[in-house]
Amino acid sequence: MSKIQWRPGNMVYPVPAALVSCGADPSEWNLVTVAWTGTACSDPPMTYISLKPSRHSFDLVLRTGEFVLNLTTADMARATDFCGVRSGRDLDKWEATGLTPLPATHVKAPLVAESPMNIECRVTQVLPLGSHHMFLAEVLAVHVDDRFLDGNGKFHLDKADPICYSHGQYHPLGKSLGKFGWSVEKKKKRKK
């Protein structure tokens, strides 16, 4: 096997295809698609998004200091793509996509009703990194569509049919390969 040196911008893939909702009131609410996002810390719960300063949502998040991170599904793929290539400066993305805003409990930005999981966030730090600025944020609340919870309150991501992004393409996530720790789990003895 041989390896070639690849472009530095093509690093860790796939990445989430998430929708960020932002804005302080309905007259300015906007949606933007982000792929640069993830968990930054579990205790306290923190996440991040990275946005280019040229994006309309950049100024909204910078000014308000809050946003909602909304997971996406295969059913939301067209709207997710649309919100990444069209600007909220030019049109109302909520109306154009048919997505439904819902009131959040801790921030002024709305939740996306169609999303299986919504994460309300308050920005704690903005890090200018180059082409993007990273908005490091405290997680204030997490809302989950109860259709994807089992009797024990476990979220089943696979049932939500989430999508990810890799090198210009959207992809569904596949089936589970095992739970955390399954590689070292002791096998139960079979009864004879």
Side-chain angles (χ1 to χ4, degrees):
M1 170 173 58
S2 64
K3 299 212 177 208
I4 62 167
Q5 188 169 347
W6 209 24
R7 297 180 307 272
N10 293 322
M11 296 174 288
V12 179
Y13 278 101
V15 291
L19 281 175
V20 169
S21 47
C22 53
D25 63 69
S27 68
E28 69 175 8
W29 283 347
N30 194 44
L31 293 163
V32 62
T33 303
V34 298
W36 309 135
T37 185
T39 300
C41 185
S42 57
D43 188 16
M46 298 186 76
T47 188
Y48 72 92
I49 59 170
S50 292
L51 292 170
K52 288 183 176 181
S54 61
R55 300 300 300 253
H56 177 61
S57 293
F58 178 91
D59 290 329
L60 293 171
V61 174
L62 188 64
R63 181 174 46 80
T64 63
E66 57 187 40
F67 61 88
V68 178
L69 186 59
N70 304 279
L71 298 187
T72 59
T73 66
D75 288 342
M76 297 171 67
R78 181 176 282 290
T80 301
D81 182 64
F82 184 90
C83 290
V85 296
R86 297 297 301 268
S87 176
R89 287 183 188 99
D90 304 325
L91 56 92
D92 180 337
K93 292 183 190 178
W94 295 93
E95 184 179 316
T97 61
L99 293 174
T100 311
L102 291 176
T105 57
H106 293 80
V107 299
K108 293 178 181 173
L111 313 177
V112 175
E114 292 78 7
S115 173
M117 183 181 288
N118 319 91
I119 305 167
E120 295 185 51
C121 304
R122 180 166 296 128
V123 176
T124 60
Q125 191 174 2
V126 180
L127 302 167
L129 300 174
S131 64
H132 290 68
H133 286 40
M134 181 192 304
F135 292 85
L136 187 62
E138 170 188 16
V139 173
L140 304 175
V142 178
H143 306 271
V144 178
D145 186 327
D146 62 4
R147 294 178 299 155
F148 307 114
L149 293 175
D150 65 17
N152 297 319
K154 180 181 177 185
F155 179 67
H156 289 275
L157 186 66
D158 55 328
K159 292 181 181 176
D161 202 14
I163 58 173
C164 62
Y165 180 83
S166 183
H167 302 285
Q169 300 288 317
Y170 298 97
H171 299 274
L173 294 181
K175 65 179 181 170
S176 172
L177 300 175
K179 65 178 181 158
F180 179 75
W182 68 275
S183 65
V184 296
E185 195 173 65
K186 292 182 181 180
K187 294 181 180 180
K188 294 180 182 179
K189 293 183 180 179
R190 294 184 193 169
K191 293 183 180 181
K192 292 184 178 183

